[in-house]
């Protein structure tokens, strides 16, 4: 267990470094947006493109995994939506978005570095591409559209869904995924200088991503932390990976390492812009507190999941 903990320590040192840099004022908070845009629009798209552009990679796109991971996420989101609605009395739209935080991960900035510890960077990046499809083309658009239509902000559910999907389709991550898969069909490989340049950018992605996580939570608040926040944190860090493991294990054709990868991605805290989505429905205080609590608690839960993953591989 100690060996696994030591493997994960650099991840949390990077998060702590980002937190300290912003909280101390050494890095002004307003600079986070530019650094985040660089990571989101340069480093991560190059990483995705490099992962899926290898010859034959399109044939490896696992739609069974995409469907299973989406189903596991919806199971947790649906359960927590009902908890937020019926037990804590939140309105429908807010309940859906708070539930979304329990079933949608910070896969790019947090999940990828964690999964790479157990699976290696190549397999972790391949599974990341599948999860990118599940989250950005299925889970998040459906839930955001449902929340908007529940609050009658954007008209019908289908109109909301079209708008959200159009925005997701313009995402640099999705464009990189489609472009990489298209290149994989050709069987071409980049010249050595370009490949080395891409490798240098890819190596920077985890460092930037994790420091950004720390910087972002330094900006968040734990005001309003209480039982609902604890429930969201518990569902995200424990129920979501458990659901992913059980659903993916039940599907034929998925090897054990792939199932473990899905569990690890599901076990990281919620996606970075969770608070922004929640703010549209008056839930920013809860979402902000849950994001901070989940990131802190993940120091324990992620090490536990990594121990289980590494022991079983």
């Amino acid at each position: 267990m100690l060996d696994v903990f030591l493997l994960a320590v650099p991840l949390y040192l990077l998060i702590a470094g980002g937190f300290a840099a912003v909280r101390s004022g050494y890095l002004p908070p307003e600079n986070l947006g530019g650094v985040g845009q660089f990571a989101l629009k340069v480093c991560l798209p190059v990483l995705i493109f490099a992962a899926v552009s290898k010859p034959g990679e399109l044939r490896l796109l696992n739609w069974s995994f995409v469907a299973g991971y989406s189903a596991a996420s919806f199971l947790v989101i649906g359960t927590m939506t009902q908890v937020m609605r019926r037990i804590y009395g939140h309105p429908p739209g807010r309940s859906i978005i708070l539930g979304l935080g329990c079933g949608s991960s910070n896969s790019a900035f947090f999940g990828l570095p964690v999964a790479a510890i157990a699976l290696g960077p190549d397999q972790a990046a391949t599974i990341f591409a599948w999860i990118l499809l599940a989250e950005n083309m299925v889970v998040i658009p459906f839930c955001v559209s449902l929340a908007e239509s529940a609050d009658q902000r954007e008209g019908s559910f289908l109109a909301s869904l079209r708008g959200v999907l159009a925005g997701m389709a313009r995402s640099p991550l999705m464009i990189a995924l489609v472009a990489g898969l298209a290149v994989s069909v050709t069987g071409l490989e980049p010249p050595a200088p370009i490949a080395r340049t891409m490798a240098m950018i890819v190596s920077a992605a985890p460092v930037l991503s994790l420091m950004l996580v720390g910087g972002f939570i330094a900006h968040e608040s734990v005001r309003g932390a209480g039982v609902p926040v604890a429930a969201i944190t518990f569902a995200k860090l424990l129920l979501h990976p458990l659901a992913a493991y059980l659903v993916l294990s039940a599907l034929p054709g998925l090897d054990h390492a792939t199932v473990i990868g899905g569990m690890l991605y599901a076990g990281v805290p919620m996606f970075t812009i969770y608070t922004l989505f929640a703010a549209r429905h008056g839930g920013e205080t809860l979402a902000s507190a849950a994001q901070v609590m989940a990131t802190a608690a993940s120091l324990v839960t992620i090490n536990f999941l990594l121990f289980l993953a590494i022991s079983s591989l």
Side-chain angles (χ1 to χ4, degrees):
M1 184 71 177
L2 179 61
D3 292 340
V4 175
F5 176 76
L6 293 176
L7 287 174
V9 162
L11 306 185
Y12 286 91
L13 288 178
L14 288 169
I15 293 172
F19 181 91
V22 173
R23 182 54 66 93
S24 67
Y26 181 73
L27 180 65
E30 55 268 22
N31 288 354
L32 284 177
V35 178
Q37 289 296 306
F38 180 77
L40 189 66
K41 294 185 176 181
V42 178
C43 293
L44 291 171
V46 171
L47 184 151
I48 294 169
F49 181 87
V52 302
S53 61
K54 301 180 183 70
E57 195 70 28
L58 181 60
R59 293 194 301 271
L60 299 179
L61 189 58
N62 197 318
W63 294 107
S64 178
F65 179 94
V66 172
Y69 191 87
S70 299
S73 297
F74 281 133
L75 181 63
V76 175
I77 292 167
T79 300
M80 291 307 297
T81 295
Q82 292 303 309
V83 169
M84 292 295 129
R85 180 85 177 100
R86 299 184 181 280
I87 296 180
Y88 298 113
H90 291 287
R94 187 189 306 166
S95 298
I96 293 167
I97 294 298
L98 292 174
L100 175 62
C102 304
S104 191
S105 297
N106 190 346
S107 304
F109 288 175
F110 211 142
L112 186 58
V114 168
I117 292 176
L119 304 176
D122 290 341
Q123 187 168 12
T126 297
I127 294 175
F128 172 56
W130 303 343
I131 287 179
L132 188 67
L133 280 174
E135 290 183 335
N136 290 278
M137 297 305 289
V138 182
V139 177
I140 294 176
F142 181 87
C143 291
V144 170
S145 302
L146 191 62
E148 295 287 353
S149 60
D151 284 352
Q152 297 181 343
R153 292 173 180 240
E154 302 290 344
S156 70
F157 168 74
L158 289 179
S160 299
L161 183 61
R162 282 195 296 270
V164 175
L165 284 174
M168 293 293 184
R170 293 191 296 269
S171 160
L173 302 184
M174 294 305 300
I175 292 171
L177 176 62
V178 173
L181 291 173
V183 170
S184 76
V185 174
T186 69
L188 298 176
E189 296 189 15
I194 295 179
R196 286 195 296 271
T197 302
M198 290 172 60
M200 293 171 69
I201 295 174
V202 165
S203 67
V207 177
L208 272 179
S209 298
L210 289 168
M211 294 200 75
L212 278 168
V213 170
F216 284 135
I217 66 169
H219 225 2
E220 301 291 352
S221 168
V222 293
R223 289 183 302 107
V227 176
V229 172
I232 293 170
T233 301
F234 173 80
K236 181 68 204 74
L237 299 181
L238 295 175
L239 291 187
H240 192 202
L242 176 62
Y245 181 81
L246 293 176
V247 173
L248 294 174
S249 295
L251 296 177
L254 295 183
D255 60 72
H256 183 64
T258 298
V259 173
I260 290 297
M263 178 189 75
L264 290 175
Y265 274 101
V268 302
M270 55 283 289
F271 58 115
T272 308
I273 57 173
Y274 175 47
T275 302
L276 297 181
F277 278 129
R280 289 176 59 84
H281 302 273
E284 64 273 19
T285 300
L286 274 177
S288 175
Q291 199 149 30
V292 175
M293 183 178 289
T295 303
S298 68
L299 175 62
V300 175
T301 59
I302 284 178
N303 276 285
F304 175 68
L305 291 176
L306 280 171
F307 174 74
L308 294 178
I310 294 172
S311 299
S312 67
L313 291 173

